[in-house]
Amino acid sequence: MAGDRRGAPPVTGRVVVIGSLNVDIVALVERLPRPGETVLGRDLTRWAGGKGANQAVAARAAGAEVAMVGCVGADEPGRAYLRRLTSLGIDTTAVQVELSEATGHALINVDFHGENSIVVVPGANSRLSAAAVGAAVSGLTPQDVLLMQLEIPTDLVTRAARRARDAGARVVLNMAPYAPLPTDVVAAADPVIVNEHEALLLADADQAADSLVVTFGAAGAAWGGRQRPGPVVAANDVIDTTGAGDAFCGALAAALAHGRGRGAALDAALSAGAAAVQHPGAQPDGRLP
């Protein structure tokens, strides 16, 4: 892959993101509720979210040429989201507009320490078509990076990964939220990105990724077992951890598309993740009207 070449000039490709677009409804709470408990919240706000779009925005912020493949509803939240992505310079040509489903939403509680709990309602994300995915993947080149997560139907992820592999493109797969995938799809990714919990689920499924990145939150991340620390963020600077993992994935994919090696790509990803916890919402300046 381009990011592993030694002595060759950097090769710049696109980052093509196939994934979810959600509107996040966020409530600030003093502490997260326990099961069966009601707590009072404040500052109910609406933000751009969804792992796919979060990662696309992060890749674009890291300087990559980015195309988004996904599905929104034919509603005001969907229209607002497409306007936002377009204004950021992301190609939204392959984003479907679904007439029969509302745009996906996530209901998020964030406590005073920046920790969160999230419920995702997929909505239009579940209607992303195989034809749209196939058309996007058919244009991939060996210089491109295909970045995916698992908030869309896993059969689409499977098809896209296989076709991207056959085209020689690099597949970066964030297995979040965790779901089982065929062994050849896991093997095709370079890398698979998981957090500690997802890494255990992957191991429990007897699947070994040939190229594996494990994130450890504030403790950094490891690629192939070689751990690198991330920037230190003071506790009082942590505002919202919602989009940190997505910022990490998007920045990593952008670095790989720019031909950077593992160490440099991890450093860029860790820096992006650390920056992400210091602003509200999953995306910087991502508040929607």
Side-chain angles (χ1 to χ4, degrees):
M1 294 299 179
D4 296 323
R5 293 173 183 163
R6 297 172 183 263
V11 177
T12 300
R14 298 175 302 151
V15 175
V16 177
V17 182
I18 302 178
S20 57
L21 301 97
N22 290 327
V23 174
D24 294 346
I25 306 297
V26 181
L28 182 64
V29 294
E30 182 176 356
R31 59 178 175 79
L32 301 178
R34 302 182 183 92
E37 181 184 22
T38 299
V39 299
L40 293 178
R42 68 183 195 192
D43 297 334
L44 188 69
T45 51
R46 190 170 73 150
W47 301 82
K51 286 186 173 296
N54 292 345
Q55 294 181 17
V57 169
R60 180 61 182 156
E65 178 185 350
V66 179
M68 181 73 214
V69 184
C71 188
V72 296
D75 49 26
E76 188 276 331
R79 290 190 293 272
Y81 212 144
L82 291 181
R83 288 194 299 269
R84 168 172 170 74
L85 295 181
T86 300
S87 73
L88 294 174
I90 294 172
D91 181 358
T92 61
T93 305
V95 177
Q96 292 175 233
V97 177
E98 174 61 41
L99 298 177
S100 61
E101 288 278 2
T103 297
H105 279 71
L107 310 177
I108 303 175
N109 294 321
V110 179
D111 71 16
F112 290 174
H113 303 288
E115 294 300 324
N116 62 68
S117 64
I118 304 173
V119 176
V120 175
V121 183
N125 292 301
S126 62
R127 295 301 185 96
L128 179 59
S129 72
V133 170
V137 176
S138 66
L140 289 171
T141 73
Q143 288 74 44
D144 293 332
V145 172
L146 175 64
L147 175 59
M148 295 186 290
Q149 324 73 33
L150 301 183
E151 284 186 338
I152 58 172
T154 55
D155 63 315
L156 298 181
V157 173
T158 295
R159 294 181 194 179
R162 288 170 175 165
R163 292 187 63 176
R165 174 197 60 197
D166 293 344
R170 187 170 200 151
V171 178
V172 176
L173 177 61
N174 178 210
M175 294 188 71
Y178 179 83
L181 291 171
T183 300
D184 69 300
V185 172
V186 175
D190 182 18
V192 169
I193 305 172
V194 291
N195 62 23
E196 294 175 271
H197 175 67
E198 293 151 0
L200 291 174
L201 293 173
L202 189 64
D204 288 344
D206 292 325
Q207 289 190 317
D210 295 333
S211 176
L212 182 67
V213 169
V214 182
T215 61
F216 302 101
W223 193 338
R226 300 184 63 179
Q227 188 165 348
R228 296 176 83 93
V232 176
V233 179
N236 59 357
D237 289 333
V238 176
I239 296 173
D240 185 356
T241 62
T242 302
D246 293 333
F248 178 99
C249 294
L252 186 80
L256 295 175
H258 286 136
R260 298 170 73 179
R262 288 186 174 189
L266 267 185
D267 287 343
L270 288 165
S271 294
V277 304
Q278 299 179 66
H279 62 72
Q283 301 173 21
D285 300 316
R287 189 163 180 170
L288 295 173

